[in-house]
Amino acid sequence: MRLSEFIRSEMETILKEWEAFATTLQPTSENMSALALRDHAPQILRAVALELSAPQTTREQAEKSKGRNRWTKVHEGWRRLLIHRTTP
């Protein structure tokens, strides 16, 4: 079984483990609901599974191995937004 297939078929099991781990992140998780602890986990897992199953050229594979891919700009934008929101 390919990893992308495993993620899709075991999504709920993975999410339960994700949630269990998230509860260990104290004090952040102390008063959070199960829904809050899972936050965007399903969307993240679906995106990972999609990316893993997408065909890629040798050049794309090399770029991914260096941390450069189509998601790099998206991640950078989210990182900047989070830093902006958490900086006093």
Side-chain angles (χ1 to χ4, degrees):
M1 176 183 289
R2 298 177 57 95
L3 181 55
S4 59
E5 295 166 357
F6 175 80
I7 291 170
R8 288 184 184 109
S9 68
E10 297 296 327
M11 179 78 73
E12 188 56 32
T13 303
I14 295 168
L15 290 172
K16 286 178 183 174
E17 290 296 323
W18 181 301
E19 184 181 327
F21 172 73
T23 62
T24 68
L25 303 175
Q26 301 291 330
T28 307
S29 67
E30 284 178 349
N31 297 312
M32 295 178 75
S33 68
L35 182 62
L37 289 170
R38 288 187 180 202
D39 197 17
H40 294 354
Q43 295 90 335
I44 293 167
L45 289 172
R46 281 194 289 277
V48 168
L50 179 65
E51 187 66 23
L52 288 171
S53 63
Q56 59 187 3
T57 65
T58 303
R59 178 180 167 89
E60 289 170 328
Q61 186 176 19
E63 290 298 303
K64 276 186 185 180
S65 73
K66 297 171 186 159
R68 298 186 296 256
N69 61 43
R70 62 187 172 137
W71 299 104
T72 303
K73 289 182 181 180
V74 173
H75 293 163
E76 181 61 23
W78 277 107
R79 188 183 70 76
R80 286 183 183 165
L81 177 66
L82 291 172
I83 288 172
H84 176 71
R85 284 186 169 184
T86 57
T87 303

